[in-house]
Amino acid sequence: MIRLENIHKRFGHLHVLRGISAMVSQGEVVCVIGPSGSGKSTLLRCINLLERPSAGRIFIGEREITDHAVNVNEVRREIGMVFQHFHLFPHRKVIDNIAMAPIHVRRMSKEKAYAKAMALLERVGLTSKANAYPDQLSGGQQQRVAIARALAMEPKVMLFDEPTSALDPEMIQEVLDVMKNLATEGMTMIVVTHEMGFAREVGDRVIFMDDGVIVEEGSPEEIFSNPKNERTKSFLSKIL
Amino acid sequence: MNHMMRICSILLRVVAVLSLVLFLSLLPGSSMSNAAGAGSARLSVTSTPEGAEVWINGENTGFITPHTFDGMRPGTYKVEVRMRDYRPEARSISLDPGDDRSISFYPAIRSHIFILGIIPALLTGALMTLLLTVIAVGDGIIIGTLVGIGRVVHNRISRAICGAYVDFFRGTPLLVQIFMIHFGLPPILGRLLNRPEPVPLDPFFSAILALSINSGAYVAEIVRAGIQSIDRGQMEAARSLGMTYGQAMRLVILPQAMKRIIPPLGNEFIAMLKDSSLVSIIGMEELVRKGQIIVTRSYRPEDTWFTVGVVFLFMTLPFTRLVAYLERRLRTGDQA
Ligand SMILES: Nc1ncnc2c1ncn2[C@@H]1O[C@H](COP(=O)(O)OP(=O)(O)OP(=O)(O)O)[C@@H](O)[C@H]1O
Ligand SMILES: [Mg+2]
């Protein structure tokens, strides 16, 4: 489904990703962990071309999206992204946040787009907030709306960049539950997270990144209970 | 004894007559017009405009200018003319026997009457000022939005060109820009069009062009600052949904930036209301030019310029208040 071939990313002289190669298959949930500054966000941003890799190739299905002839807007339609700080559009109602991209990007009719938006709100349990503005919602509710907004484009892959780390503890579970349902329904997901419980329960595979490289990867069980690499061990000892 | 008494009575009479004459001559101009004959004087009093009451030595003579007083006793008089809506004007004049003198007054119209009189002309000027400002800021908003966006896009050439435009027109005096366009452009146009003579520009055209280009530079900065005040995450979220850069700008960034753009845009409008006065120098009959014309005709700089100032104030004040109100409202909107 997703194939990364030797991805490098430099910001000026800062070499943030130093040769990342990985595969994610259809319906797989991959959790990415690693210390701050290790390049996790940058990696996700490369996958939907918010950043262009300095070197290496990325395939979604059979298509190489790093090819310069590829239309980035088309690529991004297929890849949903959920941000740490939600980034809902504060000037539009919740329902408009969700319907906006289908209407303007997919050229969906308004009736269809709004019906779809309502269905998605139901899925994340927020139908009552359809006509609220984002700043009237709690953090957890905002993040659920952000997930619904990304799903409205019917992406093939969902990328999550620390979706719960800006939330108060009591709101984390409601967001994780939505993500868990999504995984159960067979969505291909790459999740940067430090929620070990989620990674163990939902994740098919865990990747540990440090200093721009994949240090270790394996099943959640292997990584959390039996890490082989010293850096993985010391990182896990700090966060567990 | 009889002799003595006669001398005494003659002396008394002489003293009496002399003191009477002395008294009469000291008495302020009472019986002058009646006292005709040789040794008297003539005084004609005129005023522009005519029809003023003539007062002499503080008393109303009952005559209206122009009037000639015959048989005036020689002496010094304080002559004054008084007229409704005009300031009284007084002057002293000394008449010698046999004089035929005239005295002319140019009474000044009272300030409030003068000001009421120039208001229609000033209001037509104010209307022109408003028209110039509305068109200039309107154009400025179009230019400024394009140039402001041109400064935040990725394209380096666009950023350089738009940056140079903003720097140039914010970094040079508006007066110089007006001269460049109105006087600098005609010879260039002449050469471009292969004409032997410079191609003169209509002052209205030059004024609009200069003010619009200038306003565009300021609005561009306002728009750029407004766009850049929006969290980068908004653009990224929009792009991650597959929106093009233009869609993200139009649907997500600009509507939010509007909040930050509108109050300073109001300030730009106020600044342009005032700065547009500079086009008076190329003969545009806006408020300041009207003022200059009135001053050269009336020699009343004090009343004219204070009134011009007040008219400007009445134009800017509503907008100043509006901007303050918007700033307050939009600020509380941010907190909610
Ligand atoms: N646009 C950019 N320009 C320059 N440097 C950047 C840019 N984006 C990221 N970096 C740098 O790249 C490095 C990796 O950043 P990244 O955000 O990918 O780390 P991360 O693993 O997501 O960390 P965190 O857990 O703090 O989110 C950091 O040192 C960061 O400062
Ligand atoms: Mg990050």
Side-chain angles (χ1 to χ4, degrees):
Chain A
M1 177 84 217
I2 302 176
R3 198 163 85 240
L4 308 177
E5 283 184 1
N6 199 23
I7 301 299
H8 287 261
K9 179 66 188 176
R10 292 184 180 81
F11 293 112
H13 54 83
L14 196 65
H15 200 165
V16 176
L17 298 180
R18 313 147 169 268
I20 303 267
S21 297
M23 294 263 285
V24 179
S25 31
Q26 176 93 46
E28 200 180 9
V29 176
V30 174
C31 294
V32 181
I33 59 172
S36 180
S38 57
K40 308 178 297 292
S41 297
T42 306
L43 181 64
L44 284 196
R45 294 159 57 81
C46 281
I47 295 173
N48 74 354
L49 299 178
L50 282 177
E51 303 286 358
R52 224 168 229 296
S54 312
R57 302 197 295 174
I58 300 174
F59 292 85
I60 305 271
E62 290 307 303
R63 181 139 145 244
E64 188 201 334
I65 62 165
T66 36
D67 186 338
H68 278 265
V70 167
N71 178 345
V72 293
N73 300 314
E74 250 169 59
V75 171
R76 292 192 188 121
R77 285 176 211 171
E78 315 301 331
I79 304 172
M81 177 124 178
V82 174
F83 301 87
Q84 182 175 2
H85 296 286
F86 336 132
H87 299 321
L88 293 180
F89 306 135
H91 62 301
R92 302 295 295 271
K93 290 176 179 170
V94 162
I95 189 91
D96 298 323
N97 264 271
I98 301 171
M100 189 189 281
I103 291 171
H104 293 279
V105 179
R106 290 252 188 251
R107 306 265 164 231
M108 194 182 279
S109 75
K110 283 196 176 162
E111 301 86 77
K112 261 183 91 178
Y114 281 102
K116 188 185 182 76
M118 274 318 280
L120 283 165
L121 275 179
E122 181 146 21
R123 208 161 137 192
V124 298
L126 286 171
T127 38
S128 62
K129 300 292 183 187
N131 287 308
Y133 281 90
D135 57 14
Q136 297 167 321
L137 270 53
S138 73
Q141 291 170 332
Q142 289 190 48
Q143 193 61 297
R144 281 143 68 194
V145 172
I147 294 171
R149 178 178 69 176
L151 291 176
M153 288 298 287
E154 297 183 349
K156 299 198 180 83
V157 185
M158 286 284 283
L159 309 177
F160 295 83
D161 191 0
E162 305 197 36
T164 57
S165 60
L167 298 179
D168 291 340
E170 71 269 22
M171 294 171 186
I172 291 176
Q173 199 51 49
E174 65 189 53
V175 173
L176 293 181
D177 286 345
V178 168
M179 291 168 63
K180 200 159 78 184
N181 286 339
L182 206 54
T184 318
E185 288 159 23
M187 177 63 77
T188 309
M189 292 162 61
I190 303 179
V191 185
V192 174
T193 185
H194 293 144
E195 292 296 328
M196 298 309 154
F198 175 85
R200 271 175 195 272
E201 190 185 346
V202 183
D204 298 307
R205 193 147 46 96
V206 172
I207 290 177
F208 173 65
M209 266 180 78
D210 193 10
D211 212 7
V213 294
I214 294 177
V215 175
E216 191 170 352
E217 65 175 297
S219 71
E221 199 51 35
E222 285 168 354
I223 299 290
F224 292 130
S225 311
N226 195 12
K228 295 184 180 63
N229 191 290
E230 280 310 312
R231 281 197 277 174
T232 318
K233 281 181 195 164
S234 88
F235 173 72
L236 288 173
S237 71
K238 273 178 228 152
I239 64 160
L240 284 178
Chain B
M1 267 335 232
N2 214 353
H3 212 77
M4 281 284 279
M5 282 194 51
R6 195 174 284 168
I7 293 171
C8 275
S9 77
I10 289 169
L11 268 175
L12 266 172
R13 251 180 245 170
V14 167
V15 169
V17 168
L18 276 179
S19 49
L20 188 70
V21 166
L22 202 71
F23 174 74
L24 285 177
S25 71
L26 287 177
L27 207 65
S30 36
S31 54
M32 57 264 137
S33 45
N34 333 15
S40 68
R42 240 163 97 100
L43 175 66
S44 59
V45 181
T46 62
S47 73
T48 312
E50 296 180 338
E53 293 172 353
V54 182
W55 292 52
I56 291 180
N57 290 343
E59 280 181 34
N60 191 349
T61 63
F63 293 106
I64 300 292
T65 56
H67 182 76
T68 305
F69 296 91
D70 281 313
M72 300 272 286
R73 284 180 170 280
T76 301
Y77 298 94
K78 184 184 161 221
V79 184
E80 183 177 3
V81 291
R82 295 190 183 183
M83 199 167 159
R84 201 183 133 80
D85 298 343
Y86 286 80
R87 291 188 199 131
E89 209 172 290
R91 231 175 299 151
S92 291
I93 188 163
S94 294
L95 297 177
D96 289 329
D99 269 358
D100 184 357
R101 303 274 296 275
S102 69
I103 181 165
S104 303
F105 290 95
Y106 300 91
I109 198 160
R110 287 185 190 276
S111 283
H112 63 282
I113 304 292
F114 174 79
I115 288 169
L116 280 176
I118 63 172
I119 283 221
L122 291 184
L123 286 186
T124 50
L127 219 59
M128 177 56 87
T129 292
L130 210 58
L131 179 73
L132 286 170
T133 305
V134 167
I135 297 177
V137 175
D139 292 347
I141 288 171
I142 297 168
I143 300 171
T145 305
L146 296 175
V147 173
I149 292 173
R151 290 197 71 184
V152 298
V153 297
H154 281 295
N155 189 314
R156 272 176 196 210
I157 297 167
S158 157
R159 288 220 296 240
I161 292 174
C162 293
Y165 166 80
V166 169
D167 286 343
F168 185 87
F169 286 98
R170 274 165 45 104
T172 54
L174 176 54
L175 186 61
V176 173
Q177 294 162 20
I178 292 167
F179 285 165
M180 283 192 309
I181 285 168
H182 193 62
F183 303 117
L185 229 43
I188 296 174
L189 285 176
R191 252 172 274 150
L192 285 179
L193 299 172
N194 267 324
R195 304 257 180 83
E197 298 287 316
V199 181
L201 295 177
D202 181 59
F204 185 75
F205 175 81
S206 299
I208 289 290
L209 190 61
L211 296 180
S212 297
I213 291 176
N214 180 270
S215 188
Y218 282 92
V219 175
E221 272 305 273
I222 294 170
V223 169
R224 182 190 61 77
I227 290 172
Q228 288 181 340
S229 74
I230 304 301
D231 182 2
R232 268 185 56 194
Q234 290 290 311
M235 175 57 90
E236 294 190 343
R239 296 306 302 274
S240 78
L241 291 165
M243 289 187 205
T244 62
Y245 184 86
Q247 283 175 325
M249 259 304 165
R250 186 164 52 80
L251 298 168
V252 176
I253 305 299
L254 287 179
Q256 294 183 62
M258 234 23 148
K259 260 190 171 184
R260 316 279 169 86
I261 288 175
I262 285 172
L265 216 52
N267 286 329
E268 164 61 15
F269 186 84
I270 293 165
M272 188 48 76
L273 266 178
K274 296 182 284 178
D275 294 347
S276 64
S277 59
L278 285 171
V279 300
S280 60
I281 215 142
I282 57 170
M284 276 310 297
E285 292 205 1
E286 45 63 73
L287 186 45
V288 166
R289 182 91 190 106
K290 287 285 188 198
Q292 289 174 330
I293 292 169
I294 290 166
V295 168
T296 38
R297 284 190 196 146
S298 66
Y299 310 106
R300 295 283 286 256
E302 72 285 37
D303 295 320
T304 309
W305 289 123
F306 282 114
T307 310
V308 167
V310 170
V311 173
F312 267 116
L313 186 63
F314 273 108
M315 286 203 287
T316 54
L317 215 51
F319 293 104
T320 315
R321 289 288 162 83
L322 184 68
V323 168
Y325 168 78
L326 286 174
E327 274 174 347
R328 238 178 307 126
R329 255 205 57 181
L330 296 178
R331 187 146 17 106
T332 52
D334 272 356
Q335 287 166 352

